[in-house]
Amino acid sequence: MASPGCASSNSSNISEETVLLHAVDERRQRRMLSNRESARRSRLRKQKHLDGLAAQMAQLRVDNREIVERVNLATQHYMEIESENSILSAQMAELNHRLQSLDEITRFLNSNATATATTTTSLGHDVLMMNNSWNSMLLNQQAIVASAEMIEYY
């Protein structure tokens, strides 16, 4: 059978084995606990990051709406200016046309006055004065009509 010395050695082996198993188990437990804590911190960081991204996304949506509103307002303002510009361009073309017509009338009257002046030397001074009065009255009347028509545009 077993000797008393052998039992002591056997019991000490079991005891050392138990201590080693207990130490290994304790290290494993600490490692598992450390891993759980690390995973918890990782989840918290991830959640914090996601919350930050959600807040950033909400702010970007607000900014985007404001930009879209400003673009729409600018587009509307542009269309109003474009329409006003078109009206002013048409008025300018009409006024240029009237100015050309008045210039033609003035040139015609001046050429007529020159032709009349040469013939008045034989007819006398009274005919020249009457012709100049008529030309002056005609020009004044045309200027008044042109001014009245320009006022209608405004």
Side-chain angles (χ1 to χ4, degrees), residues 47-61:
Q47 187 61 47
K48 187 177 178 180
H49 182 67
L50 286 174
D51 291 345
L53 288 175
Q56 185 180 11
M57 184 174 69
Q59 183 60 45
L60 288 173
R61 283 185 175 158

Side-chain angles (χ1 to χ4, degrees), residues 4 15 20-21 23 25 33-34 36 51 109 129 131 133 143 147-148:
S15 166
L20 282 175
L21 284 175
D25 192 43
L33 186 62
S34 174
R36 282 185 191 141
D51 291 345
L109 291 176
M129 292 300 286
N131 195 15
S133 297
S147 295

